[in-house]
Amino acid sequence: MAKALLVVDLQNDFYEEGALAVPNASEINDQVNQLLESDQYKIIVGSQDWHPDSHLSFASNHNKEPFSEYSDQQGLGPVLWPDHCVQQSEGAEFNPEIKTVNFDYILRKGTDKKVDSYSAFQDNDGTDLGLAGLLKSLEIEEIDIVGLAFDVCVKYTAQDSAKNGFKTNVILEGTRAVNPDDIEQVKSDLKNVGVNFK
Ligand code: VGL
Ligand code: ZN
């Protein structure tokens, strides 16, 4: 059964010193690199959050505080974020410890200023990003997922992976949450849509 590895948003802004810091993010690097160097995957895809500085997921573009609630526009929310992963910025670069040389394909998302994109499969307004088609064309049946953040982009990506019919595994040592208090809820939500944990 052909397998893919999906590495979600391992960018400087999601690490401990970054603009949208995920606690203990760097703990995952060894596990991720081990997977990147293993020979079990037919394709390895890295996603990259890649926002214009005018992006409307940024609280600063609404004169609001980061993490304030927002549901005025479809495709954004339920909270607004600090400025992060701005195109061409250092914060948007991949963490230099990660062996990105092993990425076969890089998928940039969140480029439309009016729409956020938590899932690597589709924008928050449902626009297909082409990943399911790419993986199906390679006859991939199973996907291992690692990356940041467990409770945001990893969660939505894993949900859509299962929805697209892939056997989906989230590797827990390869992910960390921005809100660690939400981990158990996210796990149970993902279990309910058929996602496995390894
Ligand atoms: C993410 C919030 C905003 C993520 C991206 O990669 O989890 N979270 N943009
Ligand atoms: Zn983002």
Side-chain angles (χ1 to χ4, degrees), residues 145-170:
I145 302 177
V146 292
L148 301 170
F150 178 64
D151 47 336
V152 190
C153 289
V154 169
K155 170 185 162 187
Y156 286 90
T157 297
Q159 251 167 232
D160 285 344
S161 173
K163 225 179 266 176
N164 277 288
F166 299 106
K167 178 169 192 230
T168 303
N169 315 301
V170 172

Side-chain angles (χ1 to χ4, degrees), residues 107-121:
L107 184 144
R108 288 179 167 170
K109 61 185 181 63
T111 58
D112 177 345
K113 77 167 206 175
K114 296 195 286 304
V115 185
D116 216 344
S117 191
Y118 297 150
S119 165
F121 287 91

Side-chain angles (χ1 to χ4, degrees), residues 9 14 20 49 51 81 84 118 148-149 152-153:
D9 300 2
F14 297 121
L20 210 176
D49 213 34
H51 298 309
W81 304 106
H84 65 279
Y118 297 150
L148 301 170
V152 190
C153 289

